[in-house]
Short mmCIF file of all heavy atoms in Angstrom, two decimals:
data_model
loop_
_atom_site.label_atom_id
_atom_site.label_comp_id
_atom_site.label_asym_id
_atom_site.label_seq_id
_atom_site.Cartn_x
_atom_site.Cartn_y
_atom_site.Cartn_z
N ILE A 204 0.87 -1.19 0.00
CA ILE A 204 0.00 0.01 0.01
C ILE A 204 0.90 1.23 0.01
O ILE A 204 1.83 1.30 0.79
CB ILE A 204 -0.90 0.03 1.25
CG1 ILE A 204 -1.83 -1.17 1.25
CG2 ILE A 204 -1.72 1.30 1.32
CD1 ILE A 204 -2.65 -1.30 2.50
N LYS A 205 0.62 2.17 -0.90
CA LYS A 205 1.37 3.42 -0.95
C LYS A 205 0.42 4.57 -0.71
O LYS A 205 -0.67 4.60 -1.27
CB LYS A 205 2.04 3.58 -2.32
CG LYS A 205 3.07 2.52 -2.61
CD LYS A 205 3.67 2.71 -3.98
CE LYS A 205 4.65 1.58 -4.29
NZ LYS A 205 5.23 1.71 -5.61
N SER A 206 0.85 5.51 0.13
CA SER A 206 0.01 6.66 0.44
C SER A 206 0.86 7.81 0.91
O SER A 206 1.91 7.60 1.51
CB SER A 206 -1.02 6.29 1.50
OG SER A 206 -1.77 7.42 1.86
N ARG A 207 0.41 9.03 0.64
CA ARG A 207 1.08 10.21 1.18
C ARG A 207 0.60 10.52 2.59
O ARG A 207 1.23 11.26 3.32
CB ARG A 207 0.83 11.41 0.27
CG ARG A 207 1.47 11.28 -1.08
CD ARG A 207 1.17 12.53 -1.91
NE ARG A 207 1.53 12.31 -3.30
CZ ARG A 207 2.71 12.63 -3.80
NH1 ARG A 207 3.61 13.16 -3.03
NH2 ARG A 207 2.96 12.40 -5.06
N ASN A 208 -0.53 9.93 2.96
CA ASN A 208 -1.12 10.19 4.27
C ASN A 208 -0.84 9.00 5.18
O ASN A 208 -1.35 7.91 4.98
CB ASN A 208 -2.63 10.39 4.09
CG ASN A 208 -3.31 10.80 5.37
OD1 ASN A 208 -2.67 10.88 6.44
ND2 ASN A 208 -4.60 11.05 5.29
N PRO A 209 -0.04 9.16 6.24
CA PRO A 209 0.27 8.03 7.13
C PRO A 209 -0.95 7.54 7.90
O PRO A 209 -0.98 6.37 8.33
CB PRO A 209 1.35 8.57 8.04
CG PRO A 209 1.21 10.04 8.01
CD PRO A 209 0.65 10.37 6.65
N ALA A 210 -1.95 8.38 8.08
CA ALA A 210 -3.13 7.97 8.84
C ALA A 210 -3.90 6.87 8.10
O ALA A 210 -4.49 5.97 8.74
CB ALA A 210 -4.05 9.16 9.08
N LYS A 211 -3.90 6.91 6.77
CA LYS A 211 -4.59 5.85 6.00
C LYS A 211 -3.92 4.50 6.20
O LYS A 211 -4.57 3.48 6.34
CB LYS A 211 -4.59 6.21 4.51
CG LYS A 211 -5.53 7.32 4.15
CD LYS A 211 -5.50 7.56 2.64
CE LYS A 211 -6.44 8.70 2.27
NZ LYS A 211 -6.43 8.98 0.83
N ILE A 212 -2.61 4.50 6.21
CA ILE A 212 -1.88 3.25 6.40
C ILE A 212 -2.07 2.73 7.81
O ILE A 212 -2.29 1.53 8.02
CB ILE A 212 -0.38 3.44 6.05
CG1 ILE A 212 -0.24 3.67 4.55
CG2 ILE A 212 0.46 2.24 6.50
CD1 ILE A 212 1.14 3.88 4.06
N LEU A 213 -2.03 3.61 8.80
CA LEU A 213 -2.24 3.17 10.17
C LEU A 213 -3.66 2.66 10.38
O LEU A 213 -3.88 1.70 11.14
CB LEU A 213 -1.95 4.31 11.15
CG LEU A 213 -0.47 4.72 11.22
CD1 LEU A 213 -0.32 5.95 12.11
CD2 LEU A 213 0.38 3.58 11.72
N ALA A 214 -4.63 3.24 9.73
CA ALA A 214 -6.02 2.76 9.82
C ALA A 214 -6.14 1.37 9.21
O ALA A 214 -6.85 0.51 9.76
CB ALA A 214 -6.95 3.75 9.14
N PHE A 215 -5.44 1.13 8.10
CA PHE A 215 -5.50 -0.19 7.46
C PHE A 215 -4.84 -1.23 8.36
O PHE A 215 -5.36 -2.34 8.51
CB PHE A 215 -4.84 -0.16 6.10
CG PHE A 215 -4.91 -1.47 5.41
CD1 PHE A 215 -6.08 -1.91 4.86
CD2 PHE A 215 -3.82 -2.28 5.36
CE1 PHE A 215 -6.17 -3.14 4.25
CE2 PHE A 215 -3.87 -3.52 4.77
CZ PHE A 215 -5.06 -3.95 4.20
N ILE A 216 -3.71 -0.89 8.98
CA ILE A 216 -3.03 -1.83 9.86
C ILE A 216 -3.92 -2.14 11.07
O ILE A 216 -3.96 -3.29 11.55
CB ILE A 216 -1.68 -1.26 10.32
CG1 ILE A 216 -0.71 -1.22 9.10
CG2 ILE A 216 -1.06 -2.09 11.41
CD1 ILE A 216 0.58 -0.54 9.38
N ASP A 217 -4.68 -1.16 11.53
CA ASP A 217 -5.60 -1.40 12.64
C ASP A 217 -6.70 -2.40 12.24
O ASP A 217 -7.11 -3.23 13.04
CB ASP A 217 -6.21 -0.09 13.08
CG ASP A 217 -7.04 -0.22 14.34
OD1 ASP A 217 -6.55 -0.85 15.29
OD2 ASP A 217 -8.17 0.31 14.37
N ILE A 218 -7.17 -2.34 11.01
CA ILE A 218 -8.20 -3.27 10.53
C ILE A 218 -7.66 -4.69 10.47
O ILE A 218 -8.38 -5.67 10.73
CB ILE A 218 -8.72 -2.83 9.15
CG1 ILE A 218 -9.52 -1.55 9.28
CG2 ILE A 218 -9.56 -3.89 8.48
CD1 ILE A 218 -9.92 -0.91 7.98
N LEU A 219 -6.38 -4.86 10.17
CA LEU A 219 -5.79 -6.20 10.05
C LEU A 219 -5.89 -6.98 11.37
O LEU A 219 -5.91 -8.21 11.35
CB LEU A 219 -4.33 -6.10 9.62
CG LEU A 219 -4.04 -5.53 8.23
CD1 LEU A 219 -2.56 -5.51 7.98
CD2 LEU A 219 -4.75 -6.36 7.16
N ARG A 220 -5.94 -6.28 12.49
CA ARG A 220 -5.99 -6.97 13.79
C ARG A 220 -7.25 -7.83 13.94
O ARG A 220 -7.26 -8.78 14.69
CB ARG A 220 -5.98 -5.96 14.93
CG ARG A 220 -4.72 -5.20 15.05
CD ARG A 220 -4.73 -4.29 16.25
NE ARG A 220 -5.96 -3.50 16.33
CZ ARG A 220 -6.53 -3.15 17.46
NH1 ARG A 220 -6.01 -3.52 18.60
NH2 ARG A 220 -7.61 -2.40 17.46
N TYR A 221 -8.32 -7.49 13.24
CA TYR A 221 -9.60 -8.13 13.44
C TYR A 221 -9.78 -9.40 12.61
O TYR A 221 -10.83 -10.04 12.72
CB TYR A 221 -10.75 -7.16 13.18
CG TYR A 221 -10.69 -6.00 14.13
CD1 TYR A 221 -10.35 -4.73 13.68
CD2 TYR A 221 -10.94 -6.16 15.49
CE1 TYR A 221 -10.28 -3.66 14.57
CE2 TYR A 221 -10.86 -5.09 16.37
CZ TYR A 221 -10.54 -3.85 15.89
OH TYR A 221 -10.46 -2.80 16.76
N LEU A 222 -8.85 -9.74 11.78
CA LEU A 222 -8.96 -10.98 10.97
C LEU A 222 -8.50 -12.16 11.82
O LEU A 222 -7.40 -12.19 12.33
CB LEU A 222 -8.12 -10.88 9.70
CG LEU A 222 -8.68 -9.91 8.66
CD1 LEU A 222 -7.68 -9.79 7.51
CD2 LEU A 222 -10.01 -10.37 8.15
N ASN A 223 -9.36 -13.15 11.97
CA ASN A 223 -9.03 -14.32 12.78
C ASN A 223 -8.23 -15.34 11.98
O ASN A 223 -8.53 -15.62 10.82
CB ASN A 223 -10.32 -15.00 13.29
CG ASN A 223 -11.04 -14.15 14.30
OD1 ASN A 223 -10.42 -13.38 15.02
ND2 ASN A 223 -12.35 -14.29 14.36
N GLY A 224 -7.22 -15.89 12.60
CA GLY A 224 -6.45 -16.97 11.99
C GLY A 224 -5.46 -16.53 10.93
O GLY A 224 -4.98 -17.36 10.18
N VAL A 225 -5.20 -15.26 10.81
CA VAL A 225 -4.27 -14.76 9.81
C VAL A 225 -3.11 -14.07 10.53
O VAL A 225 -3.32 -13.19 11.37
CB VAL A 225 -4.95 -13.77 8.83
CG1 VAL A 225 -3.97 -13.31 7.77
CG2 VAL A 225 -6.16 -14.40 8.19
N LYS A 226 -1.87 -14.50 10.20
CA LYS A 226 -0.68 -13.86 10.75
C LYS A 226 -0.15 -12.86 9.72
O LYS A 226 -0.21 -13.10 8.53
CB LYS A 226 0.40 -14.89 11.03
CG LYS A 226 0.04 -15.88 12.09
CD LYS A 226 1.20 -16.84 12.26
CE LYS A 226 0.81 -18.01 13.11
NZ LYS A 226 1.90 -19.01 13.16
N PHE A 227 0.41 -11.77 10.23
CA PHE A 227 0.93 -10.71 9.35
C PHE A 227 2.35 -10.35 9.69
O PHE A 227 2.73 -10.37 10.86
CB PHE A 227 0.06 -9.45 9.46
CG PHE A 227 -1.33 -9.65 8.97
CD1 PHE A 227 -2.35 -9.84 9.86
CD2 PHE A 227 -1.60 -9.61 7.64
CE1 PHE A 227 -3.66 -10.02 9.42
CE2 PHE A 227 -2.88 -9.80 7.18
CZ PHE A 227 -3.91 -9.99 8.08
N LYS A 228 3.09 -9.99 8.66
CA LYS A 228 4.37 -9.31 8.85
C LYS A 228 4.26 -8.02 8.07
O LYS A 228 3.97 -8.01 6.88
CB LYS A 228 5.53 -10.15 8.29
CG LYS A 228 6.87 -9.45 8.36
CD LYS A 228 7.96 -10.26 7.73
CE LYS A 228 9.26 -9.49 7.74
NZ LYS A 228 10.30 -10.19 6.99
#
């Protein structure tokens, strides 16, 4: 994901926490 706004990337990373059974790096 590429963005000029860091808040968009941080919001997306926050959404990733809610996926069950998926590990992320």
Side-chain angles (χ1 to χ4, degrees):
I204 297 174
K205 296 179 183 178
S206 176
R207 293 181 192 267
N208 186 357
K211 288 182 181 179
I212 291 180
L213 292 175
F215 181 75
I216 291 173
D217 187 47
I218 290 172
L219 294 180
R220 294 184 312 146
Y221 299 109
L222 289 175
N223 291 331
V225 182
K226 295 180 191 174
F227 295 101
K228 176 184 176 186

